[in-house]
Amino acid sequence: MTFTLPDAVNLARRAHEGQVDKSGNPYIDHPLRVMTRVEGDAEQMAAVLHDVVEDTTVTLDELVELDCPTIVVRAVEALTHFPDEPQSAYLARVAADPIALVVKRADIGDNLSPDRTAQLQPVERERLREKYETALRLLDYYENG
């Protein structure tokens, strides 16, 4: 059985059920928005699944068992920031995977969107802006040398 984009969306919906973002909105809205920012089935699958391993009980092994395409599983692994992992090591891994890199840029774009940041307190908004601008600089550095 082939794992499809609708399968990925359904898995993400189930995995993120009940979760909310910093503004109290359903968390699933974020991966769905990121998915709309990228093109291609593998990219869209990785986008909608980009936080499932990091933020839910879903594992990489489960994705493999579901016959999720290997290229998507690798991208999701690259996009997963593991506990105690330095940000620089995480972003170097993201930059090394072409699908993960496209998805991470879309993820940051969504996280910095005015619609989202307007709902945050000014201190949190500034903290996130600095965090994501630093991440973009590091991604550029790792991608371009």
Side-chain angles (χ1 to χ4, degrees), residues 31-142:
L32 290 171
R33 284 191 308 268
V34 174
M35 181 183 75
T36 67
R37 289 173 169 257
V38 299
E39 295 181 7
D41 282 352
E43 290 80 358
Q44 289 184 327
M45 280 192 251
V48 79
L49 296 172
H50 81 273
D51 280 335
V52 295
V53 173
E54 185 174 325
D55 294 339
T56 77
T57 60
V58 174
T59 66
L60 293 167
D61 288 340
E62 287 177 67
L63 294 177
V64 171
E65 289 169 15
L66 291 169
D67 290 326
C68 185
T70 302
I71 194 167
V72 174
V73 175
R74 285 188 193 136
V76 171
E77 181 175 20
L79 289 159
T80 301
H81 193 169
F82 295 101
D84 300 322
E85 179 181 32
Q87 181 81 350
S88 58
Y90 161 64
L91 292 171
R93 189 174 65 250
V94 168
D97 184 292
I99 292 174
L101 182 59
V102 167
V103 170
K104 187 61 182 175
R105 288 185 185 284
D107 175 39
I108 291 171
D110 185 65
N111 283 325
L112 288 177
S113 72
D115 288 347
R116 247 182 130 191
T117 58
Q119 299 177 41
L120 301 173
Q121 294 297 316
V123 172
E124 179 69 0
R125 184 170 36 242
E126 181 61 20
R127 184 189 71 77
L128 290 177
R129 186 190 61 76
E130 288 177 13
K131 172 187 172 183
Y132 290 124
E133 287 180 358
T134 299
L136 287 171
R137 282 194 299 277
L138 281 171
L139 287 172
D140 286 342
Y141 172 78
Y142 292 131

